[in-house]
């Protein structure tokens, strides 16, 4: 598919989704294709994170959510888990000041309770430092699984019920939404998965009810602004009906 030579956004471009979420996949295959260790794929993956955060800000995306570490990733070999945690630590240590000076607000979703105190502290520091920023919001999904998030939400709702603060007739989809990890953020308009795999893998299952899904063949370490724009272009050609009918005359 060829893309017209227009810039994304602005009067000459096409619609920019407000919230883009990305399943960053293919670091291992990128490395294997080059005879490199998987760790090198993840290291290059962090460079793609930097590029993508910068590009998303330039394009005018309001919220960028990145799936950095899933609840299921703990089943990987210990050495790979160490690499991934190390890269996240490094990313926050090296890039937090720059994100902050670029007015980026950092948010974290996922289960924090089971994380080690130093990682928990780092995530809190990133959120705390950038709390008042009002530029792009960067949501890092860390130790995140959608079924786990929904289960946590239901548990909190049940606690409200047993404390007598809510009754069963108060339970609606909207109410349950308020117990998710980032209830104040809008659902993603566009979810991109790299590396050619076509599934959600326990990512934002509640919030993706009406998201457009775009699967791109690029391995995550090769993802760049052009690939992001291409995915947004694909999104802009979709007709979003949210269960309703097509707009008259369309
Ligand atoms: C998928 O590749 C990617 C991950 C499991 C983690 C993504 C993490 C990073 C890019 C680094 C840390 C993140 C931040 C926000 C600094 P894979 O290993 O599943 O690749 P494969 O399917 O080809 O094996």
């Amino acid at each position: 598919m060829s893309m017209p030579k227009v810039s994304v956004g602005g009067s000459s471009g096409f619609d920019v989704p407000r919230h883009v979420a990305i399943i960053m996949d293919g670091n291992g295959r990128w490395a294997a294709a080059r005879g490199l260790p998987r760790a090198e794929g993840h290291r290059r993956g962090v460079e793609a994170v930097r590029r993508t955060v910068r590009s998303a800000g330039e394009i005018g995306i309001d919220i960028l959510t990145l799936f950095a570490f899933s609840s299921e990733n703990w089943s990987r070999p210990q050495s790979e888990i160490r690499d991934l945690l190390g890269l996240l630590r490094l990313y926050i240590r090296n890039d937090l000041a720059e994100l902050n000076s670029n007015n980026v607000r950092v948010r974290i979703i996922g289960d924090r309770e089971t994380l080690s105190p130093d990682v928990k502290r780092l995530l809190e520091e990133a959120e705390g430092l950038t709390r008042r920023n009002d530029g792009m919001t960067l949501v890092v999904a860390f130790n995140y699984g959608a079924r786990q998030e929904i289960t946590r939400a239901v548990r909190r709702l049940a606690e409200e019920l047993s404390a007598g603060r809510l009754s069963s007739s108060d339970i609606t989809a909207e109410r349950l939404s308020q117990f998710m990890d980032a209830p104040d953020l809008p659902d993603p308009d566009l979810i991109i998965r790299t590396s050619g795999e076509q599934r959600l893998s326990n990512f934002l299952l509640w919030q993706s009810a009406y998201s457009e899904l775009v699967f791109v063949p690029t391995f995550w370490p090769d993802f760049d602004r052009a690939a992001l724009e291409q995915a947004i272009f694909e999104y802009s050609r979709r007709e979003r009906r949210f269960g309703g009918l097509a707009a008259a005359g369309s």
Side-chain angles (χ1 to χ4, degrees), residues 96-112:
L96 185 58
E98 190 182 328
L99 290 170
N100 190 36
S101 64
N102 288 334
N103 199 21
V104 173
R105 184 172 62 135
V106 178
R107 298 281 298 270
I108 313 290
I109 57 172
D111 181 9
R112 291 187 208 197

Side-chain angles (χ1 to χ4, degrees), residues 24-30 38 42 45-46 49 66-68 73 76 80 84 87-88 91 140 220:
M24 310 180 286
D25 195 11
N27 293 350
R29 277 163 287 162
W30 181 92
R38 293 178 61 81
H42 294 316
V46 177
V49 166
L66 298 178
F67 200 3
N73 284 153
R76 294 193 178 200
E80 182 162 348
L84 285 168
L87 284 171
L88 182 87
Y91 175 71
V140 180
W220 176 250

Side-chain angles (χ1 to χ4, degrees), residues 23-32 38 41-50 53 66-70 73 76 80 83-92 138-142 193-195 197 199 219-221:
I23 302 174
M24 310 180 286
D25 195 11
N27 293 350
R29 277 163 287 162
W30 181 92
R38 293 178 61 81
H42 294 316
R43 202 185 64 71
R44 294 290 290 263
V46 177
E47 287 172 22
V49 166
R50 288 199 180 98
V53 171
L66 298 178
F67 200 3
F69 193 89
S70 83
N73 284 153
R76 294 193 178 200
E80 182 162 348
D83 289 340
L84 285 168
L85 292 181
L87 284 171
L88 182 87
R89 278 197 192 94
L90 217 60
Y91 175 71
I92 295 185
L138 171 64
V139 183
V140 180
F142 190 78
R193 180 170 188 149
T194 61
S195 90
E197 304 289 352
R199 55 179 171 269
F219 289 145
W220 176 250

Side-chain angles (χ1 to χ4, degrees), residues 69 153 159 185 234:
F69 193 89
E159 282 162 10
L185 300 181
E234 167 72 33

Side-chain angles (χ1 to χ4, degrees), residues 183-197:
D184 52 317
L185 300 181
D187 292 341
D189 301 292
L190 166 64
I191 297 181
I192 302 169
R193 180 170 188 149
T194 61
S195 90
E197 304 289 352

